[in-house]
Amino acid sequence: MVALSHSFAILLVSYLVSAKLSHPHAAGHHERHHALASKRSALARRAVSKRAICQKRISGAHSSTSSPSSVTSGASSDSNGDNGSSNNTTDDDKSSSSSPGVKGHSNPSGGKWWSATSGANDKTIIAHFIVGNAYSYTPSQWASEIKMAAAQGIDAFALNLGYDSWQAGQVQSAYDVAAANGFKMLLSFDMTVLGCGDGNIVRSNVNKYTDHPAQLKDNGGKAIVTTFDGGNCKSSGEWQSELGGSRFVPAFFNDLNSASLKSLYPVAGGDLLWGGAWPKFDEPISWSEDSFRISRNGLNRGAGDLYITTVAPWFFTHYGSKNFIWHNDDHLWNNRWEDLVQHRGQVDAVEIVSWNDYGESTYIGPVGKDQPGSEAWVNGFDHRAFLEMTGYYASAFKSGEWPSITSDKIFIYGRPHGVNDQASGDSLSRPERFNWVSDRLWVVLFSTGSGSLTVTQGSSSSTTQVKAGVNKISIPLGVASSVTAILRRGGDQVFEFTAPISFGHSPKAYNFNVNAAVGP
């Protein structure tokens, strides 16, 4: 059955690539194409990120810690706000295992609403950073965003490097500012942009930054270098000649059904699974992509090979050449992080996709001004609530212990219009797979104790009983200009928070991005 689904997926990929479309995924294979093209304006030249991913299903065993539902301070419940019922899910797998690891870890010290444990710290958190969306960055802006990331347990930025000549200066600035702030950087060569013929850009950048004090290295002192695609670009020997002694952890999209990554590319010192962050069907996220990949990449982690996988909060893109979504529902961000904590023994590092990829709505950092023509669906749609949740999950992933929730905190996010609404002024159609999301408001309450949460949207209201820990709630989206949440406990009101999240049924243009808010 698995072999059949993989074969079908490969045929589907071939068809969609020839049609220059990104395809819905099948069991074994999912592909997107990513292209960065320069845009010029009177003030700036920016890279347009147009991506499409290619990946495979992957396998692995359990490891690591209990899920947040197994401890009082991090209890997790999934609640359906239609009837206020709550179903707890528990995983008591508390085994752990050591990993080769990466140098340069930092432990988030704890936010105002959670407190970190003192567990081991042998894991690394990376955020994918599109240099093409940083044309106007100054050293002070690099410093500000580096500090913002580090405060939430992020250790490094993977700098997605394209061909624009000005990007070299920003990469240098990023490394220098990172060194001054105890942060790390690594190079991520975007091979869908750079192409296969010019090995000098890889060789020169690797030589330049290998010994930079901000370079992220493995525990053996090797500089870590990654890619976006490039698997069918060069031979293993060609890569070796360009990379020198680096630890090469590429995001290659080769078919691994008949041969392992290591047999295809002995130069690989690790594997980066790009597409594990999203489900490949209209269903909740699971560990199946990682499971298949781990079973097929041929890594020897005992000898230092690194396995890096990904997490993302959302995905929506709306260009003429690229107009689609993935299954973003079912608390994608939280459930993926819970999977990562549960399986932490199989993973050396997590790469957040992304810090600033506005074109695909995956950003968790602040919205910048160097956008790739994505303003229509990004401006006014803040994702920093996902960043604020990151520290809690980063602490659990790194230490193997869930943090204590010390004060109540709520996160709310939702889309601006209905799935089936018709836009009055959009030259493009609704995105492919538009019906892979539902008209629901997503709520995550980190609660210090039991109580009741009432969420009001315009004239509609829903009350859910909550418990201590992580409560994941969804309710139907209602027409409103804002959302108000009231938490009550023991007859007393704990907080009232109003989120600037609106929903209606008369869009001018299609926007399947989400606006996210955090309070109180």
Side-chain angles (χ1 to χ4, degrees):
M1 191 67 179
V2 172
L4 177 63
S5 61
H6 288 328
S7 300
F8 173 75
I10 293 166
L11 291 172
L12 184 58
V13 169
S14 300
Y15 166 76
L16 289 163
V17 168
S18 66
K20 297 184 179 179
L21 296 171
S22 45
H23 69 297
H25 44 269
H29 195 124
H30 150 219
E31 177 170 27
R32 295 194 271 152
H33 289 294
H34 172 270
L36 285 172
S38 296
K39 292 180 77 178
R40 291 177 174 83
S41 70
L43 299 176
R45 211 172 35 175
R46 324 182 256 233
V48 175
S49 173
K50 300 209 174 180
R51 247 183 231 199
I53 293 176
C54 205
Q55 67 231 0
K56 245 64 35 253
R57 285 224 178 251
I58 339 179
S59 135
H62 281 302
S63 69
S64 185
T65 72
S66 55
S67 74
S69 58
S70 64
V71 285
T72 302
S73 63
S76 175
S77 64
D78 289 285
S79 302
N80 184 325
D82 294 322
N83 55 20
S85 64
S86 170
N87 296 311
N88 293 336
T89 56
T90 303
D91 189 324
D92 293 320
D93 179 9
K94 298 182 180 180
S95 62
S96 63
S97 63
S98 60
S99 65
V102 182
K103 285 185 176 180
H105 322 292
S106 65
N107 240 351
S109 57
K112 295 179 180 179
W113 55 276
W114 59 269
S115 176
T117 64
S118 56
N121 179 18
D122 61 349
K123 307 295 180 184
T124 300
I125 307 292
I126 301 164
H128 197 77
F129 190 103
I130 306 294
V131 179
N133 291 343
Y135 176 81
S136 67
Y137 271 41
T138 61
S140 63
Q141 185 167 354
W142 277 113
S144 174
E145 296 192 21
I146 283 169
K147 291 174 183 176
M148 196 182 302
Q152 298 298 334
I154 297 171
D155 303 296
F157 284 157
L159 300 175
N160 179 287
L161 184 60
Y163 58 79
D164 296 291
S165 59
W166 59 263
Q167 292 191 28
Q170 288 294 1
V171 171
Q172 181 73 64
S173 183
Y175 266 87
D176 292 345
V177 174
N181 286 276
F183 198 70
K184 299 298 178 183
M185 296 283 169
L186 65 154
L187 299 169
S188 177
F189 294 101
D190 193 329
M191 301 310 297
T192 63
V193 172
L194 297 174
C196 304
D198 183 8
N200 184 59
I201 192 168
V202 175
R203 184 181 295 107
S204 61
N205 277 281
V206 168
N207 290 342
K208 182 175 184 178
Y209 292 108
T210 290
D211 294 321
H212 194 286
Q215 174 62 48
L216 184 69
K217 296 185 177 183
D218 68 8
N219 284 340
K222 293 182 177 181
I224 299 173
V225 177
T226 69
T227 69
F228 181 84
D229 205 359
N232 294 312
C233 196
K234 307 178 186 190
S235 69
S236 186
E238 288 172 322
W239 279 114
Q240 183 69 65
S241 69
E242 296 170 15
L243 294 163
S246 301
R247 169 72 62 185
F248 189 39
V249 188
F252 285 170
F253 304 144
N254 298 72
D255 175 22
L256 300 186
N257 285 291
S258 57
S260 71
L261 177 69
K262 288 284 281 189
S263 66
L264 292 170
Y265 296 96
V267 67
D271 185 21
L272 169 57
L273 173 64
W274 185 267
W278 303 274
K280 303 307 170 289
F281 295 102
D282 185 14
E283 63 188 16
I285 192 74
S286 75
W287 194 248
S288 60
E289 292 291 316
D290 294 89
S291 247
F292 176 76
R293 190 79 179 190
I294 292 168
S295 73
R296 297 301 305 152
N297 56 27
L299 298 186
N300 184 351
R301 292 179 64 234
D305 288 345
L306 302 176
Y307 181 62
I308 302 176
T309 190
T310 50
V311 60
W314 201 259
F315 189 102
F316 164 65
T317 186
H318 196 53
Y319 296 106
S321 60
K322 187 177 72 167
N323 181 23
F324 66 97
I325 64 171
W326 293 119
H327 182 101
N328 299 306
D329 284 0
D330 303 298
H331 295 98
L332 173 64
W333 183 248
N334 307 83
N335 288 336
R336 177 60 173 168
W337 272 114
E338 289 181 13
D339 266 354
L340 291 166
V341 174
Q342 179 185 344
H343 297 91
R344 66 185 292 275
Q346 301 172 53
V347 180
D348 300 295
V350 170
E351 185 159 331
I352 296 167
V353 182
S354 65
W355 183 261
N356 68 333
D357 194 339
Y358 311 118
E360 295 181 349
S361 310
T362 62
Y363 55 95
I364 65 168
V367 173
K369 63 182 179 181
D370 301 316
Q371 291 190 46
S374 54
E375 290 85 352
W377 63 89
V378 169
N379 286 356
F381 288 78
D382 197 337
H383 283 194
R384 284 175 294 178
F386 296 111
L387 175 61
E388 185 158 339
M389 278 190 275
T390 300
Y392 175 87
Y393 290 107
S395 178
F397 176 72
K398 291 180 176 186
S399 69
E401 300 290 338
W402 291 99
S404 300
I405 298 170
T406 55
S407 62
D408 301 290
K409 186 66 67 173
I410 192 167
F411 298 82
I412 305 172
Y413 58 101
R415 293 181 296 98
H417 65 79
V419 165
N420 293 312
D421 293 340
Q422 297 291 324
S424 61
D426 200 326
S427 60
L428 300 177
S429 63
R430 284 179 295 191
E432 287 183 59
R433 301 182 289 278
F434 69 89
N435 58 347
W436 280 23
V437 292
S438 55
D439 291 340
R440 299 191 73 82
L441 182 74
W442 303 97
V443 179
V444 184
L445 174 68
F446 292 80
S447 180
T448 60
S450 59
S452 64
L453 181 71
T454 300
V455 178
T456 301
Q457 307 167 83
S459 60
S460 65
S461 185
S462 176
T463 298
T464 302
Q465 299 304 307
V466 299
K467 297 182 178 181
V470 182
N471 297 266
K472 294 175 288 186
I473 302 161
S474 73
I475 60 176
L477 279 162
V479 175
S481 58
S482 63
V483 178
T484 297
I486 299 175
L487 177 64
R488 294 183 176 87
R489 184 175 295 130
D492 297 322
Q493 180 173 304
V494 178
F495 68 69
E496 177 176 337
F497 170 65
T498 298
I501 296 172
S502 61
F503 180 80
H505 291 292
S506 302
K508 182 177 180 180
Y510 293 115
N511 189 346
F512 281 68
N513 193 5
V514 284
N515 194 13
V518 54

